[in-house]
Amino acid sequence: MQNKVQLITYVDRLSGADLPALTSLLTTELNDLFAGVHLLPFFYPIDGSDAGFDPIDHQQVDPRLGGWAEVKQLSQHCDIMADLIVNHASAQSPQFLDVLDKGELSPYWPLFLKEQDIFPEGITDQQAGAIYRPRPSRCFSLKTLKSGQQVNFWTTFTDNQIDINVEHPQGKAYLEQVLGLFADSGIKIIRLDAAGYAIKRPNTSCFMLDDTFDFIDHLSRRANELGMETVAEIHSHYQTQIDVAKRVHRVYDFALPPLVLHALSANDVDPLIHWLSIAPRNCLTVLDTHDGIGIIDAGPEGDKPGLLNAAQIDKLVETIHANSHGQSRLATGAAANNLDLYQVNCSYYEALGKNDFHYLIARAIQFFSPGVPQVYYAGLLAMDNDMALLEQTQVGRDINRPYLDRQTLSKQLQQPVVRGLMALIQLRNTQPAFDGEFQLSGGGQMLTLAWQHQNDRVEFALDLSQQRAQISSQLNGQTERIDLSTLAKG
């Protein structure tokens, strides 16, 4: 993976059309901005109950977007990251429909995980209580077979996402087929979606077990043999991210988004400085994604202290709700379907109260933090919350998953804050100092992040007490200074 800014996007929601349209966009209006693109699920169908993360056919590109040939064509222009949906498949998949029809006589019966596979005597309340849950619902869904028999299938996320038995030969073959297709289609990076939930054991949390680490190890090695890198996508306590980082090529720095929001809302950079001093260096940095703003990643877990304490987390969540004028509250928790227990649903721009200066500060912190930056398409364009889409679908995360046409895209690209962000992206991509040594200092309301490579140096200095932020870039003996407040005004 190149040490340059990457884009995260749905094919149709940014381009307004298909893979050729996205390829055109990335080679015209967005040319030279992104070294790679994470294509959010483009499998059939893209408009399932979880926006493509519940594929009926993981090996088919949704025909509305194109085919594998179009994926490979895009790969000629930039590196492509794709999701290997490790944990589950759709309840409408041909394999699961065959299970419903034929029961144990179906060749796919062992592909899907059932309660009896892990708890042959049935699960007790104590065992159920020990399982780590990303949702408030039970981890099983009762399905009725054609024969009339009722079976409890494991459904970690929704009743339309049936967990795969990744340890059975059927499950291994399923994942191997997808890996091979990815490699043949020019995909260079694989995001291991929900891999932390893939291995289940009785009397455990069924999340990030030692056996899970072994599974991720094996999957990563196999991807590497096929010429691909892996990125582990796991929302959990920050120490888990540090542990996972030792076992894969890259992890996501999901602690960074809430820590940046805390710094700018509470005028306190100390938790951020602490995290940047210990954070994995082999990470992807994000502020926003297709999911919500992770809270658990910075907070405490049981008796384990967090990067922010419980009171700071509560205040941060309420600040996001206030900055978004209550819109995030309508999209989060029990107020919306498809909810997560650990995320606030809101665009990052709205979470900062649509403060252009603070938004560019947040992006500067992201770009100067160790790791390869990824920018979500809605964040690139500083989009407001999409309340119309939320009202239409009642899916909380849709508040930050807008469908854009070319007119809206062109309008947003002219906004001063977006032009400022694009200038920061260009700096991050072209300043060789970012391949050098990271330097961190500050405390309280002062923060300095710097990179030095031979004679080239780039430094970001933030003074929250004075609301000042400046970048100094030394390249080939020339010094350029960028004032972020000026940049925010265009």
Side-chain angles (χ1 to χ4, degrees):
M1 182 182 294
Q2 299 180 64
N3 185 23
K4 295 181 180 180
V5 181
Q6 320 277 313
L7 176 68
I8 308 172
T9 189
Y10 296 95
V11 174
D12 58 324
R13 300 192 191 209
L14 175 60
S15 71
D18 51 18
L19 281 159
L22 179 62
T23 301
S24 174
L25 178 63
L26 291 173
T27 54
T28 53
E29 291 101 318
L30 303 182
N31 191 38
D32 292 332
L33 279 179
F34 301 106
V37 56
H38 174 192
L39 296 182
L40 291 164
F42 49 89
F43 320 110
Y44 175 73
I46 55 174
D47 51 3
S49 61
D50 194 20
F53 283 96
D54 49 348
I56 289 176
D57 189 345
H58 203 338
Q59 299 180 63
Q60 179 187 359
V61 177
D62 191 304
R64 290 168 289 184
L65 303 181
W68 288 107
E70 285 73 30
V71 173
K72 195 161 189 175
Q73 182 181 17
L74 176 57
S75 74
Q76 306 305 310
H77 300 283
C78 60
D79 294 339
I80 294 180
M81 176 190 292
D83 290 276
L84 180 63
I85 302 171
V86 173
N87 184 70
H88 50 262
S90 171
Q92 277 75 53
S93 65
Q95 297 95 326
F96 190 69
L97 291 178
D98 195 72
V99 167
L100 293 180
D101 182 48
K102 301 174 183 175
E104 295 185 34
L105 297 179
S106 169
Y108 304 111
W109 177 257
L111 176 61
F112 298 99
L113 199 65
K114 298 160 285 292
E115 177 186 340
Q116 67 188 44
D117 294 331
I118 307 299
F119 302 98
E121 304 301 321
I123 189 172
T124 66
D125 291 341
Q126 183 177 2
Q127 290 171 323
I131 296 173
Y132 177 77
R133 300 292 300 125
R135 310 282 168 91
S137 57
R138 293 180 70 249
C139 56
F140 302 105
S141 294
L142 195 63
K143 302 291 185 180
T144 303
L145 309 184
K146 184 179 179 180
S147 65
Q149 178 187 0
Q150 292 188 315
V151 179
N152 247 352
F153 287 91
W154 204 302
T155 51
T156 295
F157 293 96
T158 71
D159 63 1
N160 190 50
Q161 292 165 299
I162 313 297
D163 286 23
I164 295 168
N165 189 342
V166 298
E167 296 183 281
H168 190 275
Q170 284 262 12
K172 293 178 181 179
Y174 174 87
L175 294 177
E176 177 67 21
Q177 288 172 352
V178 180
L179 280 174
L181 184 56
F182 280 9
D184 291 342
S185 302
I187 290 168
K188 297 297 184 186
I189 308 143
I190 296 174
R191 177 179 176 270
L192 302 178
D193 176 67
Y197 300 93
I199 303 297
K200 283 84 168 177
R201 295 287 183 268
N203 306 312
T204 71
S205 67
C206 299
F207 178 73
M208 291 312 304
L209 313 175
D210 288 340
D211 288 343
T212 313
F213 281 110
D214 292 339
F215 168 73
I216 292 174
D217 275 348
H218 177 79
L219 202 58
S220 297
R221 286 196 301 271
R222 180 57 185 145
N224 190 241
E225 290 171 358
L226 295 170
M228 298 177 288
E229 297 181 46
T230 55
V231 182
E233 184 270 332
I234 295 166
H235 280 282
S236 186
H237 188 265
Y238 74 89
Q239 188 58 55
T240 302
Q241 298 286 17
I242 293 175
D243 295 338
V244 173
K246 302 171 185 176
R247 315 289 289 265
V248 295
H249 294 106
R250 293 187 185 275
V251 293
Y252 283 92
D253 186 351
F254 286 133
L256 187 65
L259 291 175
V260 170
L261 289 173
H262 169 82
L264 292 173
S265 63
N267 289 327
D268 172 24
V269 301
D270 287 341
L272 175 62
I273 288 176
H274 171 61
W275 171 238
L276 293 180
S277 69
I278 63 172
R281 282 4 188 188
N282 59 325
C283 63
L284 292 178
T285 64
V286 294
L287 293 184
D288 47 359
T289 69
H290 62 287
D291 288 333
I293 300 168
I295 298 300
I296 190 174
D297 308 277
E301 180 183 293
D303 59 355
K304 294 187 292 187
L307 300 166
L308 298 174
N309 60 41
Q312 290 171 319
I313 289 288
D314 289 343
K315 186 174 181 180
L316 174 59
V317 171
E318 290 304 315
T319 298
I320 295 173
H321 292 332
N323 283 347
S324 67
H325 302 286
Q327 293 178 347
S328 57
R329 195 185 301 277
L330 294 174
T332 300
N337 294 326
N338 204 21
L339 60 108
D340 291 300
L341 299 175
Y342 49 70
Q343 296 177 339
V344 175
N345 291 317
C346 185
S347 81
Y348 209 81
Y349 186 56
E350 293 261 18
L352 285 167
K354 299 168 63 171
N355 183 316
D356 290 355
F357 177 47
H358 281 185
Y359 191 65
L360 292 185
I361 289 175
R363 289 297 177 184
I365 293 173
Q366 178 195 3
F367 293 170
F368 275 75
S369 295
V372 176
Q374 284 192 321
V375 176
Y376 183 56
Y377 78 107
L380 169 68
L381 301 170
M383 296 299 297
D384 294 346
N385 287 326
D386 194 334
M387 298 305 292
L389 185 60
L390 173 64
E391 183 177 358
Q392 175 188 335
T393 66
Q394 291 299 300
V395 174
R397 289 179 291 184
D398 275 347
I399 196 172
N400 194 33
R401 296 175 173 180
Y403 288 90
L404 306 177
D405 55 31
R406 293 303 285 262
Q407 182 179 358
T408 302
L409 175 66
S410 298
K411 176 184 175 183
Q412 290 303 116
L413 287 174
Q414 298 307 311
Q415 300 301 314
V417 65
V418 175
R419 293 202 304 270
L421 174 54
M422 293 169 71
L424 292 180
I425 291 173
Q426 293 284 13
L427 172 68
R428 179 61 176 78
N429 288 342
T430 58
Q431 170 54 273
F434 285 109
D435 290 320
E437 179 185 352
F438 175 62
Q439 300 167 5
L440 168 69
S441 63
Q445 299 183 60
M446 306 284 288
L447 174 68
T448 300
L449 307 175
W451 291 85
Q452 181 90 35
H453 181 65
Q454 298 179 358
N455 294 326
D456 299 318
R457 178 179 176 82
V458 63
E459 179 180 291
F460 169 68
L462 174 64
D463 181 351
L464 289 173
S465 66
Q466 300 295 321
Q467 289 293 293
R468 292 177 182 168
Q470 187 178 75
I471 293 172
S472 175
S473 176
Q474 299 174 21
L475 178 63
N476 298 326
Q478 301 294 318
T479 299
E480 177 187 13
R481 288 183 173 81
I482 304 171
D483 185 279
L484 265 62
S485 64
T486 302
L487 194 63
K489 297 172 184 176

